[in-house]
Amino acid sequence: MAGIRLARLPNRTPVKLTIAILPELATALDAYAAHYAETYGETVSVNELVPAMLEAFLEGDRSFKKARSPR
């Protein structure tokens, strides 16, 4: 459609990622989920939190963002 203001939406199909983590990290993630629930009054699973945590980590890494930016 010519003249449409909204750009084509990016691919939003989720990609499943399976990882193995050490028990200490699993415990820490569970504790983080509990802290999140205390802070916001909303219980969220670790599976829901990890993608947001990774996204926030990547967004906050200035060196990574600089390396990805077109030159």
Side-chain angles (χ1 to χ4, degrees), residues 2-69:
I4 190 168
R5 294 188 68 102
L6 181 64
R8 185 178 191 122
L9 295 175
N11 183 354
R12 295 172 291 155
T13 305
V15 176
K16 185 170 182 160
L17 175 66
T18 303
I19 63 169
I21 59 174
L22 295 175
E24 295 83 9
L25 180 55
T27 300
L29 289 170
D30 288 338
Y32 192 93
H35 182 64
Y36 182 95
E38 289 173 16
T39 301
Y40 295 110
E42 178 184 354
T43 301
V44 179
S45 72
V46 169
N47 290 345
E48 293 174 280
L49 286 174
V50 168
M53 294 167 77
L54 289 171
E55 188 174 358
F57 175 83
L58 291 174
E59 281 295 316
D61 189 323
R62 285 187 261 154
S63 177
F64 178 68
K65 285 172 77 172
K66 183 178 178 183
R68 289 193 71 196
S69 68

